[in-house]
Amino acid sequence: MAQVTPEDFRDIQRKSRGYCRAVDGTRSRKRMDGSATVSRAGYSPYGTDDASDDVTQDAVLRFAKRLGEITQRCAVAAQWITSRTPAAWQYVRRDGETIVVSRSAIRYWAVRDAAAANGYRLDVKPDAPEGQPGAQAMRGLPHAATLQT
């Protein structure tokens, strides 16, 4: 956790809110007051907490763990000139391919994994519309399995 900066937290919070909002946009589970709480017919069975805050908390912990693993295991690919701190690492994927990952990519991975653990996935088929006038069935975006090399 010592490596997590306030900038990391703000970016993870912004990404988790955007990710949850994108998933909510593909389903009829979004309240229009900005909360990502699951609601069925106006009733929220899990309380009125903002689900993106749960995703943010989980993502910060996942980010700290994965950043620690990557800094210990992977070679440094780039450094900041002013402070000489690592900016990117050479990450070897499971298929053996090497990619360069930055803190931003690790933040996104943490948000994606935390959102999936909290029930938010973009590759799941959307629910049927609630029957409101103008409601359209929207398809979820496919889940990105690989990054560009």
Side-chain angles (χ1 to χ4, degrees):
M1 285 299 287
Q3 296 179 356
V4 180
T5 64
E7 178 188 337
D8 291 329
F9 182 80
R10 281 192 301 273
D11 192 46
I12 288 172
Q13 185 177 34
R14 185 183 55 77
K15 285 181 182 189
S16 66
R17 289 208 173 153
Y19 194 94
C20 290
R21 192 157 181 88
V23 173
D24 286 334
T26 64
R27 292 173 182 78
S28 59
R29 59 191 276 180
K30 178 78 172 125
R31 295 184 332 187
M32 292 315 297
D33 63 355
S35 174
T37 302
V38 175
S39 61
R40 294 185 181 97
Y43 171 71
S44 55
Y46 305 114
T48 57
D49 295 338
D50 191 351
S52 66
D53 289 342
D54 295 337
V55 171
T56 300
Q57 291 174 2
D58 291 348
V60 167
L61 296 175
R62 290 172 190 263
F63 171 73
K65 181 180 178 188
R66 193 159 217 180
L67 181 64
E69 292 171 355
I70 287 175
T71 55
Q72 289 176 0
R73 189 179 58 176
C74 299
V76 175
Q79 292 181 342
W80 292 108
I81 295 172
T82 56
S83 62
R84 295 289 183 200
T85 57
W89 297 267
Q90 292 179 358
Y91 181 78
V92 180
R93 297 187 334 192
R94 283 184 231 162
D95 62 358
E97 193 170 344
T98 302
I99 59 173
V100 175
V101 294
S102 63
R103 289 176 86 94
S104 179
I106 301 168
R107 288 182 206 135
Y108 177 76
W109 291 347
V111 168
R112 182 196 60 203
D113 295 344
N118 282 290
Y120 282 83
R121 289 195 61 122
L122 284 174
D123 59 349
V124 178
K125 289 186 72 173
D127 299 336
E130 293 177 349
Q132 297 174 349
Q136 298 177 4
M138 297 178 67
R139 297 189 59 219
L141 299 173
H143 190 63
T146 60
L147 291 174
Q148 293 180 358
T149 55

